[in-house]
Amino acid sequence: SSGINAEYGIADAGLAVRVDNSQALMHHKFVVIDGRVLMSGSYNWTASGAAYNRENMFVTTERRVVAQFAAEMEKLWAMFEGSTEVQYEPLSSSSMLKNRFVHRIRETSRR
């Protein structure tokens, strides 16, 4: 299987998983922890985001703000009920070339 559980073992660890397999991009970048803490910002939760990107993260325990994000998460959770496996689409050679090109430009601009 090539789904999220096969790749990361998330469900095997006892965590519930739901996946957005729509054509649109999911661009939310937030986490609500125990309904009490919100972490949100531009931060990409990837190895590249942690190692290379200039990112920001806002953390708050302000109840009203946390509650608004928790409500959005509940809405998303309900929307993706029954969808637990990532459907991967292989990159075309032109997409891979473009990704390498963008990566080289970023490397050069950091020097």
Side-chain angles (χ1 to χ4, degrees):
S1 165
S2 64
I4 195 166
N5 189 47
E7 188 150 343
Y8 300 108
I10 294 172
D12 289 340
L15 300 173
V17 175
R18 294 195 183 167
V19 178
D20 175 7
N21 282 312
S22 68
Q23 293 289 331
L25 294 176
M26 172 69 72
H27 205 69
H28 287 308
K29 298 176 184 178
F30 70 89
V31 61
V32 177
I33 303 169
D34 296 332
R36 297 186 341 231
V37 178
L38 167 68
M39 298 170 68
S40 183
S42 71
Y43 185 77
N44 285 311
W45 298 71
T46 63
S48 181
Y52 304 112
N53 299 355
R54 289 186 170 88
E55 306 280 8
N56 67 65
M57 177 67 66
F58 172 76
V59 180
T60 185
T61 57
E62 169 58 43
R63 290 180 182 167
R64 188 173 46 90
V65 176
V66 174
Q68 290 173 329
F69 278 82
E72 176 65 11
M73 185 65 228
E74 290 300 321
K75 184 174 87 176
L76 292 168
W77 189 253
M79 187 183 312
F80 302 119
E81 183 174 6
S83 180
T84 60
E85 293 294 319
V86 173
Q87 305 299 316
Y88 291 104
E89 290 187 25
L91 288 174
S92 68
S93 58
S94 62
S95 293
M96 288 187 287
L97 180 61
K98 177 183 168 196
N99 289 341
R100 277 190 242 144
F101 183 67
V102 169
H103 179 71
R104 293 283 171 103
I105 291 172
R106 288 181 181 155
E107 281 181 347
T108 304
S109 67
R110 287 191 187 106
R111 294 181 188 159

Coordinates of all heavy atoms in Angstrom, one line a residue, residues 8-100:
Y8 N 4.1 6.2 6.8 CA 4.5 6.8 8.1 C 4.0 6.0 9.3 O 4.5 6.2 10.4 CB 3.9 8.2 8.3 CG 4.4 9.1 7.2 CD1 3.5 9.5 6.2 CD2 5.7 9.6 7.2 CE1 4.0 10.4 5.2 CE2 6.1 10.4 6.2 CZ 5.3 10.8 5.2 OH 5.7 11.7 4.2
G9 N 3.1 5.0 9.2 CA 2.7 4.2 10.3 C 1.8 4.9 11.3 O 1.7 4.6 12.4
I10 N 1.2 6.0 10.8 CA 0.5 6.9 11.7 C -0.7 6.1 12.4 O -0.9 6.1 13.6 CB 0.0 8.1 11.0 CG1 1.2 9.0 10.6 CG2 -1.0 8.9 11.9 CD1 0.8 10.2 9.7
A11 N -1.5 5.5 11.6 CA -2.7 4.7 12.1 C -2.2 3.6 13.0 O -2.8 3.2 14.0 CB -3.6 4.3 11.0
D12 N -1.1 2.9 12.6 CA -0.6 1.8 13.4 C -0.1 2.3 14.8 O -0.1 1.5 15.7 CB 0.6 1.2 12.7 CG 0.2 0.4 11.5 OD1 -0.9 0.0 11.4 OD2 1.1 0.2 10.6
A13 N 0.2 3.6 14.9 CA 0.5 4.1 16.2 C -0.7 4.5 17.0 O -0.6 5.0 18.1 CB 1.4 5.4 16.0
G14 N -1.9 4.2 16.5 CA -3.1 4.5 17.2 C -3.7 5.8 17.0 O -4.6 6.2 17.7
L15 N -3.2 6.6 16.0 CA -3.8 7.9 15.7 C -4.8 7.8 14.6 O -4.6 7.1 13.6 CB -2.7 8.8 15.3 CG -1.6 9.1 16.4 CD1 -0.4 9.9 15.8 CD2 -2.2 9.7 17.6
A16 N -5.9 8.5 14.7 CA -6.9 8.6 13.7 C -6.4 9.4 12.5 O -5.7 10.4 12.8 CB -8.2 9.1 14.2
V17 N -6.6 9.0 11.3 CA -6.1 9.7 10.1 C -7.2 10.0 9.1 O -8.1 9.1 8.9 CB -5.0 8.8 9.4 CG1 -4.6 9.5 8.1 CG2 -3.9 8.5 10.3
R18 N -7.3 11.2 8.6 CA -8.1 11.5 7.5 C -7.3 12.4 6.5 O -6.5 13.2 6.9 CB -9.4 12.3 8.0 CG -10.2 11.4 8.8 CD -11.6 12.0 9.0 NE -12.3 11.1 9.9 CZ -13.4 11.4 10.5 NH1 -14.0 12.6 10.3 NH2 -14.0 10.6 11.3
V19 N -7.6 12.2 5.2 CA -6.8 12.8 4.2 C -7.6 13.6 3.2 O -8.7 13.1 2.8 CB -6.0 11.7 3.4 CG1 -5.1 12.3 2.3 CG2 -5.1 10.9 4.4
D20 N -7.1 14.7 2.8 CA -7.8 15.5 1.7 C -7.2 15.1 0.4 O -6.0 15.4 0.1 CB -7.5 17.0 2.0 CG -8.0 17.9 0.9 OD1 -8.7 17.4 -0.1 OD2 -7.8 19.1 0.9
N21 N -7.9 14.4 -0.4 CA -7.5 13.9 -1.7 C -8.1 14.7 -2.8 O -8.1 14.3 -4.0 CB -7.8 12.4 -1.9 CG -6.8 11.6 -1.2 OD1 -5.6 11.8 -1.3 ND2 -7.3 10.6 -0.4
S22 N -8.6 15.9 -2.5 CA -9.2 16.7 -3.6 C -8.2 17.3 -4.5 O -7.0 17.3 -4.2 CB -10.1 17.9 -2.9 OG -9.2 18.8 -2.3
Q23 N -8.6 17.9 -5.6 CA -7.7 18.6 -6.5 C -7.1 19.9 -5.9 O -6.1 20.3 -6.3 CB -8.4 18.9 -7.8 CG -8.8 17.6 -8.6 CD -7.5 16.9 -9.2 OE1 -6.5 17.6 -9.5 NE2 -7.6 15.6 -9.3
A24 N -7.9 20.5 -5.0 CA -7.4 21.8 -4.4 C -6.3 21.5 -3.4 O -6.3 20.4 -2.9 CB -8.6 22.5 -3.8
L25 N -5.5 22.5 -3.2 CA -4.5 22.4 -2.2 C -5.0 22.7 -0.8 O -5.6 23.7 -0.6 CB -3.3 23.3 -2.5 CG -2.5 23.0 -3.8 CD1 -1.5 24.0 -4.0 CD2 -1.9 21.6 -3.7
M26 N -4.7 21.9 0.2 CA -4.9 22.2 1.6 C -3.8 23.1 2.0 O -2.6 22.6 2.0 CB -5.0 20.9 2.4 CG -5.1 21.1 3.9 SD -6.6 21.9 4.5 CE -7.7 20.5 4.2
H27 N -4.1 24.3 2.4 CA -3.0 25.2 2.8 C -3.0 25.6 4.2 O -2.2 26.5 4.6 CB -3.0 26.4 1.8 CG -1.6 27.0 1.7 ND1 -0.6 26.4 1.1 CD2 -1.2 28.2 2.2 CE1 0.5 27.2 1.1 NE2 0.2 28.3 1.8
H28 N -3.9 25.0 5.0 CA -3.9 25.3 6.4 C -2.6 24.9 7.1 O -2.1 23.8 6.7 CB -5.1 24.6 7.1 CG -6.4 25.1 6.9 ND1 -6.7 26.5 7.0 CD2 -7.5 24.5 6.5 CE1 -8.0 26.6 6.7 NE2 -8.5 25.5 6.4
K29 N -2.1 25.7 8.0 CA -0.9 25.3 8.7 C -1.1 25.7 10.1 O -0.6 26.7 10.7 CB 0.3 26.1 8.1 CG 0.6 25.8 6.7 CD 1.7 26.7 6.1 CE 1.9 26.5 4.7 NZ 2.9 27.3 4.1
F30 N -1.9 24.8 10.8 CA -2.1 25.0 12.2 C -2.3 23.7 12.9 O -2.6 22.7 12.3 CB -3.3 26.0 12.5 CG -4.6 25.4 12.1 CD1 -5.4 24.7 13.1 CD2 -5.2 25.6 10.9 CE1 -6.6 24.1 12.8 CE2 -6.4 25.0 10.6 CZ -7.2 24.3 11.5
V31 N -2.1 23.7 14.2 CA -2.4 22.6 15.1 C -3.0 23.1 16.4 O -2.6 24.1 16.9 CB -1.1 21.7 15.4 CG1 0.0 22.6 16.1 CG2 -1.4 20.5 16.1
V32 N -4.0 22.4 16.8 CA -4.7 22.7 18.1 C -4.3 21.5 19.0 O -4.6 20.3 18.7 CB -6.2 22.8 18.0 CG1 -6.8 23.0 19.3 CG2 -6.5 24.0 17.0
I33 N -3.7 21.8 20.1 CA -3.2 20.8 21.0 C -4.2 20.7 22.3 O -4.3 21.7 23.0 CB -1.8 21.0 21.5 CG1 -0.9 21.1 20.3 CG2 -1.3 20.0 22.5 CD1 0.5 21.6 20.5
D34 N -4.8 19.6 22.4 CA -5.7 19.4 23.6 C -6.8 20.4 23.7 O -7.2 20.7 24.9 CB -4.9 19.2 24.9 CG -4.0 18.0 24.8 OD1 -4.3 17.0 24.1 OD2 -3.0 18.0 25.5
G35 N -7.1 21.1 22.6 CA -8.2 22.2 22.7 C -7.7 23.4 23.5 O -8.5 24.3 23.8
R36 N -6.4 23.5 23.8 CA -6.0 24.6 24.7 C -4.8 25.4 24.1 O -4.6 26.5 24.5 CB -5.5 24.0 26.0 CG -6.6 23.3 26.8 CD -6.1 22.9 28.2 NE -4.7 22.8 28.4 CZ -4.0 21.7 28.9 NH1 -4.7 20.7 29.2 NH2 -2.7 21.7 29.0
V37 N -4.1 24.8 23.2 CA -2.9 25.6 22.6 C -3.1 25.6 21.1 O -3.4 24.6 20.5 CB -1.6 24.9 23.0 CG1 -0.4 25.6 22.3 CG2 -1.5 24.8 24.5
L38 N -2.8 26.7 20.5 CA -2.9 26.9 19.0 C -1.4 27.2 18.6 O -0.8 28.1 19.1 CB -3.8 28.0 18.6 CG -3.7 28.5 17.1 CD1 -4.1 27.4 16.2 CD2 -4.4 29.8 16.9
M39 N -1.0 26.5 17.5 CA 0.2 26.9 16.8 C -0.1 27.1 15.4 O -0.7 26.2 14.7 CB 1.3 25.7 16.9 CG 1.7 25.4 18.3 SD 2.7 23.9 18.5 CE 4.2 24.4 17.6
S40 N 0.2 28.3 14.8 CA -0.2 28.6 13.5 C 0.8 29.6 12.9 O 1.5 30.3 13.6 CB -1.6 29.2 13.4 OG -2.0 29.5 12.1
G41 N 0.9 29.6 11.5 CA 1.8 30.5 10.9 C 2.2 30.0 9.5 O 1.6 29.1 9.0
S42 N 3.3 30.5 9.0 CA 3.7 30.1 7.6 C 4.5 28.8 7.7 O 4.8 28.2 6.6 CB 4.6 31.2 7.0 OG 5.8 31.3 7.6
Y43 N 4.9 28.4 8.8 CA 5.8 27.2 9.0 C 5.3 26.0 8.2 O 4.1 25.5 8.4 CB 5.9 26.9 10.5 CG 6.9 25.7 10.7 CD1 8.2 26.0 10.7 CD2 6.5 24.5 11.0 CE1 9.2 25.0 10.9 CE2 7.4 23.4 11.2 CZ 8.7 23.7 11.2 OH 9.6 22.7 11.4
N44 N 6.1 25.5 7.3 CA 5.8 24.2 6.6 C 6.3 23.1 7.5 O 7.5 23.0 7.8 CB 6.5 24.2 5.2 CG 5.8 25.1 4.3 OD1 4.6 25.0 4.1 ND2 6.5 26.0 3.6
W45 N 5.5 22.1 7.8 CA 5.8 21.0 8.7 C 6.5 19.9 7.9 O 6.1 18.8 7.8 CB 4.5 20.5 9.3 CG 3.8 21.5 10.2 CD1 3.2 22.6 9.8 CD2 3.8 21.5 11.6 NE1 2.7 23.3 10.8 CE2 3.1 22.7 12.0 CE3 4.3 20.7 12.6 CZ2 2.8 23.0 13.3 CZ3 4.0 21.0 13.9 CH2 3.3 22.2 14.3
T46 N 7.6 20.3 7.3 CA 8.4 19.4 6.5 C 9.9 19.5 6.9 O 10.3 20.5 7.5 CB 8.3 19.8 5.0 OG1 8.9 21.1 4.8 CG2 6.9 19.7 4.5
A47 N 10.7 18.6 6.4 CA 12.1 18.7 6.7 C 12.7 20.0 6.1 O 13.5 20.7 6.7 CB 12.9 17.4 6.2
S48 N 12.3 20.3 4.9 CA 12.8 21.5 4.2 C 12.4 22.7 5.0 O 13.1 23.7 5.1 CB 12.3 21.5 2.8 OG 12.7 22.7 2.1
G49 N 11.1 22.8 5.5 CA 10.6 23.9 6.2 C 11.4 24.1 7.5 O 11.8 25.3 7.8
A50 N 11.8 23.0 8.1 CA 12.6 23.1 9.4 C 14.0 23.5 9.1 O 14.6 24.3 9.9 CB 12.5 21.8 10.1
A51 N 14.6 23.0 8.0 CA 16.0 23.2 7.8 C 16.4 24.4 7.0 O 17.4 25.0 7.2 CB 16.6 22.0 7.2
Y52 N 15.5 24.8 6.0 CA 16.0 25.8 5.0 C 15.1 27.0 4.9 O 15.6 28.1 4.6 CB 16.0 25.1 3.6 CG 16.9 23.9 3.6 CD1 16.4 22.7 3.4 CD2 18.3 24.1 3.7 CE1 17.2 21.6 3.3 CE2 19.1 22.9 3.7 CZ 18.5 21.7 3.5 OH 19.3 20.6 3.4
N53 N 13.8 26.9 5.1 CA 12.9 28.0 4.9 C 12.9 29.0 6.0 O 13.3 28.7 7.1 CB 11.5 27.5 4.7 CG 11.3 26.6 3.5 OD1 12.2 26.3 2.8 ND2 10.1 26.0 3.4
R54 N 12.6 30.2 5.6 CA 12.3 31.3 6.6 C 10.9 31.2 7.0 O 10.0 31.6 6.1 CB 12.7 32.7 6.0 CG 14.2 32.8 5.9 CD 14.6 34.2 5.5 NE 16.0 34.5 5.6 CZ 16.9 34.2 4.6 NH1 16.4 33.7 3.4 NH2 18.1 34.4 4.7
E55 N 10.6 30.7 8.1 CA 9.2 30.5 8.5 C 8.9 31.2 9.8 O 9.7 31.7 10.5 CB 9.0 29.0 8.8 CG 9.4 28.1 7.6 CD 8.4 28.0 6.5 OE1 7.4 28.7 6.6 OE2 8.6 27.2 5.6
N56 N 7.6 31.3 10.1 CA 7.2 31.8 11.4 C 6.1 30.9 12.0 O 5.4 30.2 11.3 CB 6.6 33.3 11.3 CG 5.4 33.4 10.5 OD1 4.3 32.9 10.9 ND2 5.4 34.0 9.3
M57 N 6.0 31.0 13.3 CA 5.0 30.2 14.1 C 4.5 31.1 15.2 O 5.3 31.6 16.0 CB 5.7 29.0 14.7 CG 4.8 28.1 15.5 SD 3.4 27.3 14.7 CE 4.3 26.2 13.6
F58 N 3.2 31.2 15.3 CA 2.5 31.9 16.4 C 1.9 30.9 17.3 O 1.3 29.9 16.9 CB 1.4 32.8 15.8 CG 0.5 33.4 16.7 CD1 0.9 34.6 17.4 CD2 -0.8 33.0 16.9 CE1 0.1 35.2 18.3 CE2 -1.6 33.6 17.8 CZ -1.2 34.7 18.5
V59 N 2.2 31.0 18.6 CA 1.6 30.1 19.6 C 0.8 30.9 20.6 O 1.3 31.9 21.1 CB 2.8 29.3 20.4 CG1 2.2 28.4 21.4 CG2 3.7 28.6 19.4
T60 N -0.4 30.4 20.9 CA -1.3 31.1 21.8 C -2.1 30.1 22.6 O -2.4 29.0 22.2 CB -2.2 32.2 21.1 OG1 -2.9 32.9 22.1 CG2 -3.2 31.5 20.2
T61 N -2.5 30.6 23.8 CA -3.5 29.8 24.6 C -4.7 30.7 24.8 O -5.6 30.3 25.6 CB -2.9 29.5 26.0 OG1 -2.4 30.7 26.7 CG2 -1.7 28.5 25.9
E62 N -4.9 31.7 24.1 CA -6.1 32.6 24.1 C -7.3 31.8 23.7 O -7.4 31.3 22.6 CB -5.9 33.8 23.2 CG -7.1 34.6 22.9 CD -7.7 35.2 24.2 OE1 -7.0 35.7 25.1 OE2 -9.0 35.2 24.3
R63 N -8.2 31.5 24.7 CA -9.3 30.6 24.5 C -10.2 30.9 23.3 O -10.5 30.0 22.6 CB -10.1 30.5 25.8 CG -9.4 29.9 26.9 CD -10.3 29.8 28.2 NE -9.6 29.2 29.2 CZ -9.9 29.2 30.5 NH1 -11.1 29.8 30.8 NH2 -9.2 28.7 31.4
R64 N -10.5 32.1 23.1 CA -11.4 32.5 22.0 C -10.7 32.1 20.6 O -11.4 31.6 19.7 CB -11.7 34.0 22.1 CG -12.8 34.4 21.1 CD -13.2 35.9 21.4 NE -12.1 36.7 21.6 CZ -11.5 37.4 20.6 NH1 -11.9 37.3 19.4 NH2 -10.5 38.2 20.9
V65 N -9.4 32.4 20.5 CA -8.7 32.2 19.3 C -8.6 30.7 19.1 O -8.8 30.1 18.0 CB -7.3 32.9 19.3 CG1 -6.5 32.5 18.0 CG2 -7.5 34.4 19.4
V66 N -8.2 30.0 20.1 CA -8.0 28.5 20.0 C -9.3 27.9 19.6 O -9.4 27.0 18.8 CB -7.5 27.9 21.4 CG1 -7.4 26.4 21.3 CG2 -6.1 28.5 21.7
A67 N -10.4 28.3 20.2 CA -11.7 27.7 19.9 C -12.1 27.9 18.4 O -12.7 27.0 17.8 CB -12.8 28.4 20.8
Q68 N -11.8 29.1 17.8 CA -12.1 29.3 16.4 C -11.3 28.3 15.5 O -11.9 27.8 14.6 CB -11.8 30.7 16.0 CG -12.7 31.7 16.7 CD -12.3 33.2 16.4 OE1 -11.1 33.5 16.3 NE2 -13.3 34.0 16.4
F69 N -10.1 28.1 15.8 CA -9.3 27.1 15.0 C -9.7 25.7 15.3 O -9.7 24.9 14.4 CB -7.8 27.3 15.3 CG -7.1 28.4 14.6 CD1 -7.2 29.7 15.0 CD2 -6.4 28.2 13.4 CE1 -6.7 30.8 14.3 CE2 -5.9 29.2 12.7 CZ -6.0 30.5 13.1
A70 N -10.1 25.4 16.5 CA -10.6 24.1 16.8 C -11.9 23.8 16.1 O -12.1 22.7 15.5 CB -10.8 23.9 18.3
A71 N -12.7 24.8 15.9 CA -14.0 24.6 15.2 C -13.7 24.4 13.7 O -14.3 23.5 13.0 CB -14.9 25.9 15.3
E72 N -12.7 25.1 13.1 CA -12.3 24.8 11.7 C -11.7 23.4 11.6 O -12.0 22.7 10.6 CB -11.2 25.9 11.3 CG -10.7 25.6 9.9 CD -11.7 25.8 8.8 OE1 -12.8 26.3 9.0 OE2 -11.3 25.5 7.6
M73 N -11.0 22.9 12.5 CA -10.4 21.6 12.5 C -11.6 20.6 12.5 O -11.6 19.6 11.8 CB -9.5 21.3 13.6 CG -8.8 20.0 13.6 SD -7.7 19.8 12.1 CE -8.2 18.3 11.6
E74 N -12.6 20.8 13.3 CA -13.7 19.9 13.4 C -14.5 19.8 12.1 O -14.9 18.8 11.6 CB -14.7 20.3 14.6 CG -14.1 20.0 15.9 CD -13.7 18.5 16.2 OE1 -14.5 17.7 15.8 OE2 -12.7 18.3 16.8
K75 N -14.6 21.0 11.5 CA -15.3 21.1 10.1 C -14.5 20.3 9.1 O -15.1 19.5 8.3 CB -15.4 22.6 9.7 CG -16.1 22.8 8.4 CD -16.3 24.3 8.2 CE -15.1 24.8 7.4 NZ -15.3 26.2 7.0
L76 N -13.2 20.4 9.1 CA -12.3 19.7 8.1 C -12.4 18.2 8.4 O -12.5 17.4 7.5 CB -10.9 20.2 8.2 CG -10.6 21.6 7.7 CD1 -9.2 22.0 8.1 CD2 -10.8 21.7 6.2
W77 N -12.3 17.8 9.7 CA -12.4 16.4 10.1 C -13.6 15.7 9.6 O -13.6 14.6 9.0 CB -12.3 16.3 11.6 CG -12.1 14.9 12.1 CD1 -13.0 14.2 12.8 CD2 -10.9 14.1 12.1 NE1 -12.5 13.0 13.1 CE2 -11.2 12.9 12.7 CE3 -9.6 14.4 11.5 CZ2 -10.2 11.9 12.8 CZ3 -8.7 13.4 11.6 CH2 -9.0 12.1 12.2
A78 N -14.8 16.4 9.7 CA -16.1 15.9 9.2 C -16.1 15.8 7.7 O -16.6 14.8 7.1 CB -17.2 16.8 9.7
M79 N -15.5 16.8 7.1 CA -15.5 16.9 5.6 C -14.7 15.7 5.0 O -15.1 15.2 3.9 CB -14.8 18.2 5.2 CG -14.9 18.4 3.7 SD -14.0 20.0 3.2 CE -14.6 21.2 4.4
F80 N -13.7 15.2 5.6 CA -12.9 14.1 5.1 C -13.1 12.8 5.7 O -12.3 11.9 5.6 CB -11.4 14.5 5.2 CG -11.1 15.8 4.4 CD1 -10.6 16.9 5.1 CD2 -11.4 15.9 3.1 CE1 -10.4 18.1 4.5 CE2 -11.2 17.1 2.4 CZ -10.6 18.2 3.1
E81 N -14.3 12.6 6.3 CA -14.6 11.3 6.9 C -14.5 10.2 5.9 O -15.0 10.3 4.7 CB -16.0 11.3 7.5 CG -16.4 10.1 8.2 CD -17.7 10.2 8.9 OE1 -18.4 11.2 8.8 OE2 -18.1 9.2 9.6
G82 N -13.9 9.1 6.2 CA -13.8 7.9 5.3 C -12.6 8.0 4.4 O -12.3 7.0 3.7
S83 N -11.9 9.1 4.4 CA -10.7 9.2 3.5 C -9.4 9.1 4.4 O -9.1 10.0 5.1 CB -10.7 10.6 2.8 OG -9.6 10.7 2.0
T84 N -8.8 7.9 4.3 CA -7.7 7.6 5.2 C -6.4 7.3 4.4 O -5.3 7.1 5.0 CB -8.0 6.5 6.1 OG1 -8.2 5.3 5.4 CG2 -9.1 6.8 7.0
E85 N -6.4 7.2 3.1 CA -5.2 6.9 2.3 C -4.9 8.0 1.4 O -5.7 8.5 0.7 CB -5.4 5.6 1.6 CG -5.5 4.4 2.4 CD -4.3 4.1 3.2 OE1 -3.2 4.2 2.6 OE2 -4.4 3.7 4.4
V86 N -3.6 8.4 1.3 CA -3.2 9.4 0.4 C -3.1 8.8 -1.0 O -2.7 7.7 -1.2 CB -1.7 9.9 0.7 CG1 -1.2 10.8 -0.4 CG2 -1.7 10.6 2.0
Q87 N -3.6 9.5 -2.0 CA -3.6 9.1 -3.4 C -2.5 9.8 -4.1 O -2.6 11.0 -4.4 CB -4.9 9.4 -4.1 CG -6.1 8.8 -3.4 CD -6.1 7.3 -3.3 OE1 -5.7 6.6 -4.3 NE2 -6.4 6.7 -2.1
Y88 N -1.3 9.2 -4.3 CA -0.2 9.9 -4.9 C -0.3 9.9 -6.4 O -0.7 8.9 -7.0 CB 1.1 9.1 -4.5 CG 1.5 9.2 -3.1 CD1 1.3 8.2 -2.2 CD2 2.0 10.4 -2.6 CE1 1.6 8.3 -0.9 CE2 2.4 10.5 -1.2 CZ 2.2 9.4 -0.4 OH 2.5 9.5 0.9
E89 N 0.1 11.0 -7.0 CA 0.2 11.1 -8.4 C 1.7 11.3 -8.7 O 2.3 12.1 -8.2 CB -0.6 12.3 -9.0 CG -2.1 12.2 -8.8 CD -2.8 13.3 -9.5 OE1 -2.2 13.9 -10.5 OE2 -3.9 13.6 -9.1
P90 N 2.2 10.4 -9.6 CA 3.7 10.5 -9.9 C 3.9 11.8 -10.6 O 3.1 12.3 -11.4 CB 3.9 9.3 -10.9 CG 2.6 8.8 -11.2 CD 1.6 9.4 -10.3
L91 N 5.1 12.4 -10.3 CA 5.5 13.7 -11.0 C 6.0 13.4 -12.4 O 6.6 12.4 -12.6 CB 6.7 14.3 -10.2 CG 6.4 14.9 -8.9 CD1 7.7 15.3 -8.2 CD2 5.5 16.1 -9.0
S92 N 5.6 14.2 -13.3 CA 6.1 14.1 -14.6 C 7.5 14.5 -14.7 O 8.0 15.2 -13.8 CB 5.3 15.0 -15.6 OG 5.5 16.3 -15.3
S93 N 8.3 14.1 -15.7 CA 9.7 14.5 -15.8 C 9.8 16.0 -15.9 O 10.8 16.6 -15.3 CB 10.3 13.9 -17.0 OG 9.7 14.2 -18.2
S94 N 8.9 16.7 -16.5 CA 9.0 18.2 -16.5 C 8.8 18.8 -15.1 O 9.4 19.8 -14.8 CB 7.9 18.8 -17.5 OG 6.6 18.5 -17.1
S95 N 7.9 18.2 -14.3 CA 7.7 18.7 -12.9 C 8.9 18.5 -12.1 O 9.3 19.3 -11.3 CB 6.5 18.0 -12.3 OG 5.3 18.4 -12.9
M96 N 9.6 17.3 -12.3 CA 10.8 17.0 -11.5 C 11.9 18.0 -11.9 O 12.6 18.5 -11.1 CB 11.2 15.6 -11.7 CG 10.3 14.6 -11.0 SD 10.8 12.9 -11.0 CE 10.5 12.5 -12.7
L97 N 12.0 18.3 -13.2 CA 13.0 19.2 -13.7 C 12.8 20.6 -13.1 O 13.7 21.3 -12.7 CB 13.0 19.3 -15.3 CG 14.0 20.2 -15.9 CD1 15.4 19.8 -15.5 CD2 13.8 20.2 -17.4
K98 N 11.5 21.0 -13.1 CA 11.1 22.3 -12.6 C 11.5 22.4 -11.1 O 12.1 23.4 -10.6 CB 9.7 22.6 -12.8 CG 9.2 23.9 -12.1 CD 7.7 24.1 -12.3 CE 7.2 25.2 -11.4 NZ 5.8 25.2 -11.2
N99 N 11.2 21.3 -10.3 CA 11.5 21.3 -8.9 C 13.0 21.4 -8.7 O 13.5 22.1 -7.8 CB 11.0 20.0 -8.3 CG 9.5 20.1 -8.1 OD1 8.9 21.1 -8.2 ND2 8.9 18.9 -8.0
R100 N 13.9 20.7 -9.5 CA 15.3 20.8 -9.4 C 15.8 22.2 -9.7 O 16.7 22.7 -9.1 CB 16.0 19.8 -10.3 CG 16.1 18.4 -9.7 CD 16.9 17.5 -10.5 NE 16.1 16.4 -11.0 CZ 16.1 15.8 -12.1 NH1 17.0 16.2 -13.0 NH2 15.3 14.9 -12.4

